[in-house]
Amino acid sequence: MSGVSYYTEEGLKKLKEELAHLEQVERPRVSQEIADARDKGDLSENAEYHAAKEEQSLLEFKIAKLKNVVASARVIDESQLDTSKILIHSVVKIKNTANGMEFSYTLVADSETDVRNGKLSVNSPIGKGLLGKKVGEIAEIKVPNGIMNFEIMEISR
């Protein structure tokens, strides 16, 4: 089992809904596809059957992985979190010291990541580099292109 991941109630609810959809909708659909393909005769030359079996294998892997994530998920009471430093579920405003561009991100668990909507994984290079920092500090973060420096402008929930 992987380590504990922290989620908002909304994030955990979405994970559980996705798991339920996979188990209650997708699994029966794939099973039906296998049955339909099996009814067509010789399985050794039946491409539909082999494709459906492959899809079933991938689906079962995805379900098992998602069950593992849900089992190790914990909901955070955000009212109990320290706002003086960056933690998971912190909303941070940072400024790139090289070009002066400002960004706002919410640090979230991997499965809630959505960079287009400002949700950055705590396990990403930038997310890891920001954790524990306070307003006014400079986060020196190693990224694939080298080192970036971000000034912490604001922390909120």
Side-chain angles (χ1 to χ4, degrees):
M1 185 183 286
S2 64
V4 173
S5 296
Y6 296 96
Y7 293 88
T8 59
E9 283 189 39
E10 176 188 332
L12 186 57
K13 181 181 176 197
K14 283 181 183 178
L15 280 178
K16 288 180 178 179
E17 286 171 356
E18 181 182 357
L19 179 59
H21 174 77
L22 292 175
E23 289 180 323
Q24 298 166 7
V25 176
E26 293 300 316
R27 185 182 272 163
R29 179 189 60 78
V30 171
S31 293
Q32 186 60 46
E33 285 179 11
I34 291 170
D36 291 346
R38 191 180 299 127
D39 291 341
K40 292 183 180 177
D42 185 8
L43 298 181
S44 65
E45 295 180 14
N46 189 330
E48 288 177 23
Y49 175 78
H50 294 291
K53 288 296 283 183
E54 178 70 19
E55 184 178 2
Q56 181 186 40
S57 174
L58 293 173
L59 179 65
E60 291 302 328
F61 176 75
K62 189 173 183 178
I63 288 171
K65 187 175 177 184
L66 201 51
K67 279 184 175 182
N68 190 21
V69 169
V70 169
S72 64
R74 301 293 178 266
V75 175
I76 291 183
D77 179 1
E78 294 185 35
S79 66
Q80 302 296 314
L81 296 177
D82 181 6
T83 57
S84 68
K85 61 183 176 182
I86 299 173
L87 303 168
I88 190 167
H89 296 278
S90 291
V91 178
V92 296
K93 184 175 179 181
I94 57 176
K95 180 168 81 173
N96 184 329
T97 59
N99 61 18
M101 290 184 66
E102 293 186 3
F103 306 93
S104 271
Y105 293 112
T106 302
L107 295 181
V108 296
D110 289 337
S111 64
E112 292 183 277
T113 301
D114 184 359
V115 177
R116 292 179 198 256
N117 291 315
K119 293 184 176 186
L120 189 66
S121 169
V122 292
N123 293 319
S124 68
I126 294 175
K128 285 180 180 178
L130 294 175
L131 286 175
K133 299 288 189 244
K134 297 181 178 187
V135 172
E137 288 186 347
I138 302 291
E140 188 175 287
I141 300 170
K142 185 176 183 203
V143 293
N145 292 356
I147 304 258
M148 295 181 78
N149 292 309
F150 294 101
E151 181 181 351
I152 313 306
M153 307 295 288
E154 190 178 309
I155 303 170
S156 59
R157 294 273 170 240

